[in-house]
Amino acid sequence: CEYLNEEMADAYACADVLLSRAGANALCEIQALKKPALLIPYPKVVSRGDQVLNAEYFRERGFSRVLDQAELTPDRLVDEIIALYHDRGALFDAMVADAQGTDGVERVIEQIYKYAKK
């Protein structure tokens, strides 16, 4: 995620929390910048379903909150953003803790060995 759209860089820098879909590029930027986010993935009925999986992965790791698009209402969105703002410290801490002491190459090799044994 070394590439960051120049216009978005300013927006990200000003933001305490983010509202986003859950595409791979967006999540890469969110994780690289350690910005707590509320993710609203494209539902499986209008996509391949990868955004739902991506969002769930981020939720499980404690990096974000997730709102299913089918549950999206103006009131619910406001409630979720307020909750995200209150949770922002814990979400940030989870992303920082995940990044400390990790070697991306080592993690990829571990996955290769893991699945090569199957």
Side-chain angles (χ1 to χ4, degrees):
C1 285
E2 294 178 22
Y3 169 77
L4 182 60
N5 179 305
E6 194 171 313
E7 293 82 27
M8 289 303 297
D10 292 336
Y12 281 131
C14 293
D16 292 325
V17 296
L18 303 174
L19 173 64
S20 179
R21 290 294 188 175
N25 288 341
L27 295 185
C28 188
E29 292 171 351
I30 289 167
Q31 188 171 13
L33 297 171
K34 315 257 182 308
K35 293 288 185 171
L38 172 60
L39 303 175
I40 304 174
Y42 279 119
K44 289 181 182 180
V45 295
V46 295
S47 72
R48 299 177 307 229
D50 57 315
Q51 288 199 12
V52 173
L53 297 173
N54 293 346
E56 189 54 35
Y57 178 78
F58 260 51
R59 179 192 350 231
E60 288 173 0
R61 299 195 66 188
F63 298 168
S64 70
R65 296 181 61 88
V66 177
L67 175 59
D68 187 282
Q69 184 170 309
E71 299 172 6
L72 182 61
T73 65
D75 289 338
R76 180 76 188 271
L77 181 60
V78 169
D79 291 344
E80 290 292 334
I81 290 174
I82 290 169
L84 170 67
Y85 190 79
H86 288 296
D87 291 348
R88 71 189 185 283
L91 299 172
F92 174 82
D93 290 345
M95 287 186 272
V96 168
D98 182 73
Q100 290 179 345
T102 58
D103 178 353
V105 173
E106 184 177 314
R107 291 174 78 178
V108 169
I109 291 171
E110 287 173 8
Q111 293 299 309
I112 290 170
Y113 283 129
K114 175 181 172 182
Y115 289 101
K117 292 179 184 179
K118 289 186 175 188

